[in-house]
C-alpha cells in the first residue's frame, strides 16, 4: 500500500502589536510578562530605568512610582536607539524584542 504523503504544515502569520505606546502605563509584572527580564536596570528614586537589547537596537523604559500607590511603578516614557546605521524606529525595535521573546518562550 502507498504511504500517505505528509502535508506541509501551513505557516500562520501572527499579528504582533508593536506599537510602543502600548508600553505606557504597564506595571512591573505586566512588563516582565511581555518582554521578560531587562538586560539592565538602574534605580534613581522615584524613577527606574529598564533596558532591553536586541541585535540591532536598545529600548530604554522609564518607570516612575505611582503617586497613589507607592509600591507600584509604571512605564511613563520610552526611548529607542539603533546599534547600527540601519533605519529603525521604536516600533521596529519593540517588534524585534517581541519576536525574540516569542521564540524564547516557544523553546
Amino acid at each position: 500500500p502507498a504511504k500517505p504523503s505528509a502535508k506541509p504544515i501551513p505557516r500562520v502569520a501572527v499579528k504582533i502589536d508593536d506599537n510602543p505606546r502600548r508600553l505606557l502605563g504597564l506595571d512591573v509584572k505586566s512588563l516582565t510578562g511581555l518582554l521578560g527580564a531587562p538586560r539592565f536596570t538602574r534605580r534613581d528614586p522615584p524613577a527606574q530605568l529598564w533596558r532591553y537589547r536586541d541585535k540591532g537596537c536598545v529600548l530604554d523604559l522609564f518607570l516612575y512610582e505611582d503617586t497613589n500607590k507607592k509600591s507600584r511603578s509604571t512605564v511613563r516614557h520610552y526611548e529607542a536607539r539603533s546599534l547600527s546605521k540601519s533605519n529603525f524606529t521604536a516600533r521596529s525595535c519593540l517588534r524585534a524584542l517581541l519576536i525574540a521573546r516569542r521564540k524564547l518562550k516557544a523553546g
Side-chain angles (χ1 to χ4, degrees), residues 7-64:
K7 291 183 181 178
I9 299 171
R11 293 190 68 150
V12 178
V14 178
K15 176 111 173 89
I16 294 176
D17 181 0
D18 58 5
N19 185 343
R21 294 191 56 76
R22 76 183 280 204
L23 301 171
L24 299 175
L26 290 182
D27 62 13
V28 168
K29 185 177 180 183
S30 300
L31 191 55
T32 53
L34 182 66
L35 293 174
R39 281 243 180 135
F40 172 82
T41 60
R42 186 176 79 210
R43 187 178 211 83
D44 292 318
Q48 295 179 52
L49 164 66
W50 284 31
R51 179 167 291 153
Y52 290 90
R53 186 176 179 150
D54 188 60
K55 288 174 266 187
C57 66
V58 173
L59 179 65
D60 289 330
L61 302 175
F62 299 88
L63 292 82
Y64 289 87

Side-chain angles (χ1 to χ4, degrees), residues 26-28 43-49 62-76:
L26 290 182
D27 62 13
V28 168
R43 187 178 211 83
D44 292 318
Q48 295 179 52
L49 164 66
F62 299 88
L63 292 82
Y64 289 87
E65 292 175 358
D66 189 325
T67 53
N68 299 328
K69 301 173 186 165
K70 287 283 185 199
S71 64
R72 186 168 174 233
S73 293
T74 57
V75 177
R76 299 272 179 86

